[in-house]
Amino acid sequence: MCSASASSTPTVTVSRDEVITGDAANNVTDNIYEKIGVNLHHIDSHPLGIIKSAIYSFFDRNYPDTFTKFDDLHPVVKATANFDEVLVPADHVSRSSNDTYYVDADTVLRCHTSAHQAETLRKGFASFLVTGDVYRRDSIDATHYPVFHQMEGVRVFTEEEWKAAGATDGTAYCEQELKKALEGLAKELFGDVEMRWIDAYFPFTEPSFELEIFFNGQWLEVLGCGVMEQQILDSNGREGHKAWAFGLGLERLAMVLFDIPDIRLFWTSDQRFLKQFKAGALDTKFKPYSKFPPCFKDVAFWVSEDFTENNLCELVRGIAGDLVEEVKLIDDFTHPKTGKTSNCFRIAYRSMERSLTDDEINSLQEEVRAQMASRLGVELR
Ligand code: FA5
Ligand code: MG
């Protein structure tokens, strides 16, 4: 249940054929499939393993014997668990195949650890932490990656518990306890960093909040949270109880804690990165071992009806892998006469490990252009 394996060997437990099926709904690509079972958060000396342990120890110290920990629940889950059981509306964008990886029409790569809320409640756990890899079709930049890690936290209170604490309103009590826990965690991890609460919306909590931390000159969203919707508790064996819940982005927290400037670094096998981190050491500041210049390539085209930025990002990631640093829309206009829309995207290529040659970048870009025309059906300009 609470495995703390220090192994770095990928342990894929679902075969490629089970994940990359010929099902019409399947949109899992090879580079996504390869991430399943890697479980970076199981490696004690990896920044993700270090941050996971630090969060565990915060909760163990401040809430002794309260949270049950799960960190090996499989990322292939039923769409019902990922969406319906946490009340995601039938027409919510996150259900679209533009945003989520489908194995088949009923099965997805979880897009958040909230996929395990309902089943864990049904199993009888009242307070738990669920850590795991999550998968999203998303944009490309230094803080977004299609595979990342979350830790879900849930704490259920019985009516006796919140009344015994002197509260008159269970929801207000949960909100207060939630913010106390997360502010305590952030203070412990980061000390005196600038942070702020933002009102948010999630289908599974009300009220809902996000916490942002000031990092590298910008506000960085590190977690979402709120008071659990009553229906989730009532449907899963906790009638009339109250709960708070959060979902932390582990990469984002680790970036702030260790000064890691780019989310791709978590996946590198370069020892110049990995060697800088030690199990249990929270005071490491990452020292960049190289700063190779980025190379920018623009691509302009008339968009097709079903063109999306996520599809473009996945196509570029499929060709350039982790050599792509950012894909950014820099121009968007609609021709007044023809009504056709033109987009221009700027693609930044950069290796974290070495300098790239012009030839290498040009051939990547040529392949991107070719596949944009053949697979995305856009008209290059
Ligand atoms: C959720 O996933 C909610 N399930 C969180 C939650 C749980 C809310 C329980 C309420 C109760 P969101 O989509 O905002 O929310 O993602 C949560 C965190 O994951 C973000 O704050 C961010 O830290 C991280 N995150 C989101 N997308 C990416 C990405 N592409 N790459 C890296 N980190 C990401
Ligand atoms: Mg968010």
Side-chain angles (χ1 to χ4, degrees):
M1 179 188 304
C2 167
S3 83
S5 125
S7 151
S8 60
T9 322
T11 48
V12 175
T13 50
V14 188
S15 76
R16 187 179 177 285
D17 289 349
E18 283 172 88
V19 176
I20 305 185
T21 65
D23 191 285
N26 189 284
N27 63 349
V28 181
T29 57
D30 267 310
N31 39 336
I32 292 301
Y33 168 73
E34 283 161 15
K35 301 288 200 280
I36 299 176
V38 174
N39 290 326
L40 293 174
H41 61 291
H42 287 182
I43 305 168
D44 293 338
S45 59
H46 189 277
L48 295 175
I50 300 171
I51 198 115
K52 181 190 78 175
S53 304
I55 301 168
Y56 278 2
S57 96
F58 169 83
F59 282 104
D60 284 345
R61 261 180 295 108
N62 293 284
Y63 306 86
D65 303 318
T66 306
F67 291 91
T68 305
K69 304 176 193 91
F70 300 87
D71 76 349
D72 59 359
L73 301 179
H74 205 275
V76 175
V77 302
K78 287 288 152 212
T80 47
N82 196 75
F83 298 122
D84 304 67
E85 291 190 333
V86 285
L87 314 179
V88 175
D91 58 355
H92 196 270
V93 286
S94 66
R95 288 186 187 250
S96 74
S97 58
N98 186 54
D99 287 38
T100 291
Y101 290 103
Y102 280 83
V103 171
D104 59 41
D106 307 317
T107 315
V108 299
L109 302 184
R110 66 183 164 214
C111 73
H112 54 180
T113 43
S114 303
H116 300 287
Q117 276 188 11
E119 67 163 334
T120 311
L121 288 170
R122 282 197 299 276
K123 286 182 184 152
F125 296 95
S127 298
F128 48 87
L129 301 172
V130 175
T131 309
D133 41 334
V134 302
Y135 297 77
R136 287 187 198 177
R137 298 181 89 245
D138 212 332
S139 50
I140 295 182
D141 66 29
T143 62
H144 290 81
Y145 202 80
V147 188
F148 60 100
H149 297 74
Q150 288 188 338
M151 186 189 294
E152 193 82 4
V154 169
R155 180 147 199 230
V156 177
F157 300 93
T158 63
E159 190 171 334
E160 295 77 65
E161 279 175 303
W162 62 261
K163 286 200 167 145
T168 51
D169 173 343
T171 302
Y173 178 72
C174 282
E175 176 179 336
Q176 180 194 318
E177 284 295 304
L178 169 68
K179 287 186 167 166
K180 190 171 88 186
L182 291 173
E183 281 170 12
L185 174 66
K187 272 236 171 65
E188 171 157 316
L189 289 176
F190 305 121
D192 272 336
V193 71
E194 256 191 286
M195 51 181 129
R196 64 181 188 192
W197 288 106
I198 305 283
D199 288 330
Y201 163 78
F202 298 104
F204 28 92
T205 48
E206 176 61 34
S208 307
F209 311 95
E210 288 178 335
L211 185 65
E212 296 186 343
I213 293 183
F214 201 69
F215 175 64
N216 277 354
Q218 299 187 51
W219 288 101
L220 179 65
E221 181 199 318
V222 296
L223 66 89
C225 65
V227 179
M228 189 180 284
E229 282 288 356
Q230 197 59 44
Q231 193 188 325
I232 300 177
L233 289 157
D234 291 350
S235 312
N236 294 287
R238 292 277 164 183
E239 292 81 357
H241 295 190
K242 288 279 168 191
W244 57 242
F246 63 70
L248 311 173
L250 292 189
E251 278 82 352
R252 301 274 180 93
L253 293 173
M255 289 173 86
V256 176
L257 184 61
F258 300 120
D259 260 344
I260 297 173
D262 192 298
I263 198 164
R264 290 173 292 168
L265 283 162
F266 291 95
W267 295 95
T268 187
S269 54
D270 194 321
Q271 290 299 322
R272 290 173 296 176
F273 176 80
L274 297 171
K275 275 264 174 12
Q276 294 193 31
F277 301 95
K278 258 203 349 254
L282 299 179
D283 55 353
T284 305
K285 292 293 172 210
F286 172 65
K287 289 182 211 67
Y289 38 84
S290 59
K291 272 202 191 106
F292 299 106
C295 175
F296 299 101
K297 295 282 176 191
D298 293 352
V299 56
F301 54 94
W302 299 109
V303 306
S304 54
E305 210 169 287
D306 53 1
F307 172 79
T308 69
E309 181 174 336
N310 285 356
N311 286 343
L312 173 62
C313 285
E314 185 149 85
L315 182 146
V316 178
R317 197 83 85 176
I319 294 163
D322 284 355
L323 297 181
V324 57
E325 176 165 291
E326 187 167 34
V327 174
K328 191 171 162 188
L329 181 65
I330 56 167
D331 191 39
D332 183 5
F333 79 91
T334 302
H335 193 281
K337 288 220 182 86
T338 63
K340 289 208 293 186
T341 296
S342 166
N343 278 356
C344 181
F345 279 84
R346 177 158 295 167
I347 305 177
Y349 296 97
R350 186 199 323 236
S351 167
M352 304 262 115
E353 274 126 40
R354 59 194 177 85
S355 29
L356 301 174
T357 64
D358 284 346
D359 280 354
E360 193 174 2
I361 292 163
N362 288 336
S363 77
L364 290 172
Q365 183 68 8
E366 259 168 48
E367 184 60 23
V368 166
R369 292 176 63 87
Q371 289 195 22
M372 284 177 73
S374 66
R375 294 180 45 206
L376 301 184
V378 305
E379 189 189 329
L380 297 171
R381 308 184 55 194

